[in-house]
């Protein structure tokens, strides 16, 4: 029997970082994303975010390519969000995303970090958060502000 642990902290933002994911219907969007992730035999452990971006902690099924999962959940959730009428001004997601592999020993702290996004963003601007995640992963940020 094979044993695989593929935990990822994924972050992506709305198109042009527009603050269009309102509090009222946010959890419906998260449910749609969780269902789409489950359809790939992967599991979303938590999904949360603020008006212009989301975070997902997931355990990726070993038979699924991360890039394929991200492409599919972004495109399907875009169609749902636009047709639902729940998110006026939602145009879709930015093309780019961040996906950071994490060890099982860090799973609980990443879970809590994602759970507390609203509190976190009362102190930290989204782009600064994203740059910090990229730096912590040992990568270089090449985007624009």
């Amino acid at each position: 029997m094979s044993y695989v642990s593929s935990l990822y902290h994924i972050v992506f933002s709305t198109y042009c970082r527009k603050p269009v994911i309102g509090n009222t219907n946010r959890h419906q969007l998260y449910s749609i994303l969780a269902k789409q992730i489950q359809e790939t035999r992967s599991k979303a452990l938590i999904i949360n975010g603020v008006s212009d971006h989301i975070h997902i902690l997931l355990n990726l099924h070993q038979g699924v390519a991360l890039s394929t999962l991200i492409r599919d959940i972004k495109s399907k959730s875009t169609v749902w969000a636009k047709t639902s009428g729940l998110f006026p001004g939602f145009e879709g997601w930015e093309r780019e995303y961040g996906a950071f592999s994490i060890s099982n020993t860090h799973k609980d702290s990443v879970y809590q970090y994602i759970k507390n996004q609203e509190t976190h963003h009362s102190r930290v601007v989204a782009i600064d958060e994203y740059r910090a995640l990229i730096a912590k992963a040992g990568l270089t940020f090449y985007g624009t502000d």
Side-chain angles (χ1 to χ4, degrees), residues 14 18-33 50-54 76-93:
T14 58
K18 292 181 180 175
V20 293
I21 304 172
N23 287 335
T24 307
N25 300 309
R26 188 175 289 170
H27 292 285
Q28 288 177 282
L29 175 61
Y30 300 163
S31 292
I32 292 296
L33 287 162
V50 292
S51 63
D52 66 349
H53 72 280
I54 65 168
K76 290 177 183 178
S77 64
T78 294
V79 170
W80 178 86
K82 286 181 176 181
T83 59
S84 73
L86 299 174
F87 304 97
F90 182 85
E91 296 179 46
W93 304 106

Side-chain angles (χ1 to χ4, degrees), residues 66-85:
L66 179 64
S67 60
T68 301
L69 179 135
I70 299 294
R71 181 196 66 209
D72 290 350
I73 67 170
K74 285 169 74 174
S75 65
K76 290 177 183 178
S77 64
T78 294
V79 170
W80 178 86
K82 286 181 176 181
T83 59
S84 73

Side-chain angles (χ1 to χ4, degrees), residues 6-23:
S6 294
L7 295 171
Y8 286 92
H9 177 188
I10 297 166
V11 184
F12 52 87
S13 64
T14 58
Y15 183 71
C16 294
R17 295 193 188 110
K18 292 181 180 175
V20 293
I21 304 172
N23 287 335

Side-chain angles (χ1 to χ4, degrees), residues 2 5 12 36-37 51 55 62 73-74 83-84 103 114 123 127-128 134-135 137 140 144-145:
S2 299
S5 175
F12 52 87
Q36 292 167 349
I37 291 167
S51 63
H55 293 256
Q62 68 264 20
I73 67 170
K74 285 169 74 174
T83 59
S84 73
S103 69
I114 293 172
R123 300 182 312 270
I127 192 66
D128 293 340
I134 290 168
T140 302
T144 60
D145 291 345

Side-chain angles (χ1 to χ4, degrees), residues 1 9 19-20 28 31 35-36 53 60 73 77 94 113 117 120 125 142:
M1 171 167 262
H9 177 188
V20 293
Q28 288 177 282
S31 292
K35 181 181 176 188
Q36 292 167 349
H53 72 280
L60 184 68
I73 67 170
S77 64
E94 283 287 349
Y113 176 78
Q117 277 297 290
H120 177 70
V125 177
Y142 292 107

